[in-house]
Amino acid sequence: MSQSLFEFNEFIRRVIALNLPEPLWIRAELSDVKSSKGHFYLDLVQKKEDSEEIIAQAQAVIWSKNYRALQKKLGQAFERLLQPGMEILILAKAEFHERFGLKLMVEDVDPAHTLGKLEMQRRETIRQLQTLNLLQKNGRLPLPLVVQRIAVLSSEKAAGYQDFMKHLSSNSFGYQFSISFFPVAVQGMMVEKEAISQLENLARRREDFDVVVIIRGGGARLDLAAFDSFLLAKTLADIPLPILTGIGHDTDETVADLVAHTSLKTPTAVADFILHRNLGFESQITNLGLEAKNKVMQLVQEKAARLQYLTQLIDYQVKSNFTQQVQMLDFIAREVPGILKNRFVQANNELNNYDKIVQLLGPEAAFRRGFALVFKQGKHVSEVAQLDLEDEVQVHLKSGRFQALVKKLQ
Amino acid sequence: MTKQKSKLTYESALQELQEIVSNLQEAAISIVDLSERVTRAAELLKFCREKLRETEEKVQGLFD
């Protein structure tokens, strides 16, 4: 009682076909994707929770006809779904082939499931970073007042990188920048590994840079999934230089944005941010210069005004003193003649008095009053006893004199 | 006498005049002395008047 392998496999095929006639929704992680002649071959795995150990594995195929239909239905998101590492939800029918074994024929894909998964992962990553106190770590680093030495992590082919470089180098302020380029993949599986390796490289040269800039052009949510990586976020948080991100996105920020010192919407916005920061510094310097100049001018004006005031004050004082002196001299000139005149009148009166007294007491006055002077031999006789009978005397009167003979003495 | 005259000032002349007046008022003076004193007083008065007029003329117009 034995059967051939083909008979056995044919039996399995029939069992499967009979028991699984309809396609089913299956969740799995993509571990590898290959395409050939428009057909896509997917390796599906399931890992043990919180482990890398694979507990289930299967192969799936998207025939080119289905692929085109799905591409039409889902657009670009479809291609992005089919990346290794993605958690996907597929509608597939199990088919067993006698030679090629079990294959899942993919008829539909639900991108919402993948996005949901990514979002859950993202939240979990953020929670972990929060627990480790890493979300604000880079943000606490001081951003230099002037940003000139820039380490750029990007892909040379990324449109965002070109925008950033162009915007920065053609600035109208004439600012010069020293830019060191660290090429990394900005999409797909290699992002995390390359970015971490380059970040480690530039961290060793931390003294050479003012900031790290991470640039990527615009993209859909799925494209940016790499920037939600926990390991990448952890490495970014530990970089001892402030990180500026310009990871083009429309809605949610990536985890890399959350960890960065400053996250900006686009690469151009990063360039603007740097230019404005430098401009701010220059304005501050210019303002300080102006302020200093104004202060000095104000001081000079104040001192000049003070000098002017003092000059006027001195001038006024001198004039006032002079006026006072002039007034005093005028007064003296007016008063002195009167005083002098009084003095002369007084002196004259005095002299007149003396004159009168001398006139009054002189001999002429005695004559006028009728007295006579008697002389004997030239000598004035004032007593009768000085005379003898028959003495010859001279008698002086007012108008003249005469000789007389003494005839009788009484 | 002439020597003394050359040294004569208004003040000294006035002083001498005052002395003569007080001597005259004492009345115990001889008539000859009296005459001399009165003559001297007249001289002094003349000197003082001249000095006064001279000075007045000098200062006249200085303050106009």
Side-chain angles (χ1 to χ4, degrees):
Chain A
M1 266 299 277
S2 68
Q3 51 190 319
S4 69
L5 179 63
F6 182 81
E7 285 167 348
F8 177 70
N9 279 359
E10 192 183 38
F11 172 71
I12 293 173
R13 180 169 65 85
R14 278 209 303 276
V15 169
I16 288 172
L18 275 170
N19 285 286
L20 300 167
E22 296 299 323
L24 296 169
W25 285 102
I26 300 157
R27 301 187 306 273
E29 184 186 323
L30 267 175
S31 71
D32 196 20
V33 181
K34 286 192 183 78
S35 69
S36 172
K37 297 171 185 170
H39 312 302
F40 279 76
Y41 302 91
L42 318 175
D43 282 345
L44 302 178
V45 294
Q46 183 179 348
K47 288 172 184 165
K48 200 173 175 181
E49 202 167 339
D50 297 327
S51 162
E52 287 297 301
E53 190 192 333
I54 293 168
I55 54 171
Q57 192 162 9
Q59 289 189 318
V61 182
I62 308 171
W63 300 121
S64 60
K65 187 183 151 206
N66 278 344
Y67 187 86
R68 283 195 298 276
L70 283 170
Q71 207 173 27
K72 205 170 173 185
K73 179 182 160 194
L74 299 174
Q76 282 195 315
F78 178 52
E79 278 173 65
R80 296 194 182 99
L81 272 177
L82 299 183
Q83 303 284 338
M86 290 288 184
E87 185 86 18
I88 56 171
L89 177 62
I90 52 172
L91 182 66
K93 197 175 159 191
E95 270 188 29
F96 194 86
H97 188 273
E98 289 83 350
R99 183 180 166 192
F100 302 110
L102 184 74
K103 274 206 167 60
L104 302 177
M105 301 301 158
V106 179
E107 296 182 6
D108 201 358
V109 178
D110 181 5
H113 171 78
T114 305
L115 284 171
K117 265 285 178 207
L118 285 172
E119 183 54 30
M120 271 171 62
Q121 268 174 24
R122 181 175 173 274
R123 282 180 195 174
E124 176 58 17
T125 301
I126 292 168
R127 195 191 59 76
Q128 279 179 36
L129 291 167
Q130 188 104 56
T131 311
L132 294 169
N133 216 1
L134 291 176
L135 278 181
Q136 279 84 38
K137 191 178 175 189
N138 194 265
R140 279 194 289 267
L141 293 175
L143 190 63
L145 287 173
V146 176
V147 175
Q148 279 188 302
R149 302 169 308 156
I150 305 169
V152 178
L153 253 75
S154 188
S155 162
E156 217 161 338
K157 284 169 278 181
Y161 172 66
Q162 307 297 337
D163 290 347
F164 174 77
M165 294 300 287
K166 199 176 153 198
H167 205 77
L168 210 57
S169 60
S170 68
N171 74 83
S172 56
F173 313 111
Y175 299 147
Q176 300 289 314
F177 296 94
S178 156
I179 293 168
S180 303
F181 183 62
F182 292 83
V184 291
V186 291
Q187 194 170 333
M189 283 294 279
M190 297 310 284
V191 173
E192 183 183 80
K193 197 182 149 212
E194 287 185 15
I196 289 172
S197 150
Q198 289 288 43
L199 284 168
E200 281 164 356
N201 285 342
L202 73 84
R204 281 193 287 273
R205 294 172 53 196
R206 56 177 292 187
E207 299 301 327
D208 297 344
F209 307 115
D210 298 323
V211 289
V212 176
V213 168
I214 298 175
I215 291 296
R216 193 205 187 284
R221 194 70 197 89
L222 279 169
D223 287 337
L224 305 176
F227 292 94
D228 287 332
S229 147
F230 174 77
L231 278 178
L232 177 57
K234 192 173 176 303
T235 310
L236 287 172
D238 287 332
I239 289 292
L241 287 162
I243 295 165
L244 309 180
T245 54
I247 302 167
H249 48 75
D250 309 318
T251 50
D252 291 344
E253 290 182 305
T254 66
V255 176
D257 286 318
L258 293 176
V259 170
H261 183 283
T262 304
S263 82
L264 295 135
K265 288 262 177 208
T266 62
T268 310
V270 176
D272 274 339
F273 176 83
I274 291 169
L275 291 173
H276 272 96
R277 187 162 184 87
N278 292 355
L279 183 64
F281 178 77
E282 195 184 1
S283 307
Q284 215 176 332
I285 294 293
T286 310
N287 283 342
L288 281 174
L290 279 175
E291 230 169 89
K293 189 184 153 198
N294 287 342
K295 268 268 146 55
V296 169
M297 275 170 70
Q298 194 187 327
L299 271 175
V300 167
Q301 275 169 4
E302 270 172 23
K303 298 292 169 200
R306 177 86 189 132
L307 282 179
Q308 173 90 5
Y309 169 73
L310 286 175
T311 308
Q312 281 172 352
L313 193 65
I314 289 166
D315 193 44
Y316 171 76
Q317 290 290 5
V318 167
K319 276 183 182 153
S320 157
N321 276 352
F322 190 74
T323 309
Q324 245 174 11
Q325 294 296 326
V326 167
Q327 279 171 351
M328 207 164 81
L329 290 177
D330 281 352
F331 174 77
I332 290 167
R334 270 198 313 275
E335 296 300 316
V336 166
I339 292 166
L340 272 178
K341 196 164 185 184
N342 283 343
R343 187 72 189 82
F344 282 121
V345 167
Q346 206 185 334
N348 219 32
N349 287 343
E350 200 177 14
L351 292 178
N352 287 342
N353 267 343
Y354 285 135
D355 200 2
K356 271 181 196 158
I357 292 167
V358 169
Q359 292 291 333
L360 212 63
L361 295 176
E364 296 299 319
F367 289 140
R368 273 198 302 276
R369 284 198 293 276
F371 292 97
L373 284 172
V374 179
F375 293 85
K376 178 183 153 185
Q377 287 164 347
K379 283 190 175 172
H380 178 238
V381 179
S382 54
E383 301 288 334
V384 174
Q386 290 173 284
L387 295 172
D388 292 314
L389 286 175
E390 298 301 323
D391 273 351
E392 199 171 271
V393 294
Q394 282 190 308
V395 180
H396 291 236
L397 293 173
K398 186 188 170 192
S399 51
R401 52 186 156 179
F402 60 88
Q403 300 251 331
L405 217 62
V406 177
K407 285 291 181 188
K408 194 178 177 183
L409 292 166
Q410 286 179 323
Chain B
M1 199 70 165
T2 40
K3 260 189 181 174
Q4 274 185 348
K5 223 178 184 176
S6 70
K7 283 181 184 171
L8 200 62
T9 64
Y10 186 87
E11 281 73 26
S12 60
L14 204 64
Q15 205 184 337
E16 203 184 332
L17 205 53
Q18 276 171 333
E19 280 164 18
I20 291 171
V21 167
S22 47
N23 280 341
L24 289 178
Q25 278 167 336
E26 276 165 20
I29 193 166
S30 78
I31 202 75
V32 180
D33 283 347
L34 184 71
S35 195
E36 270 177 21
R37 295 286 169 90
V38 171
T39 311
R40 177 63 180 158
E43 258 176 34
L44 289 168
L45 275 169
K46 190 178 171 231
F47 171 79
C48 282
R49 285 197 165 115
E50 274 174 7
K51 262 282 186 251
L52 197 61
R53 198 178 59 245
E54 207 179 291
T55 310
E56 206 174 1
E57 275 169 9
K58 258 189 200 165
V59 298
Q60 200 107 55
L62 283 182
F63 294 93
D64 291 347

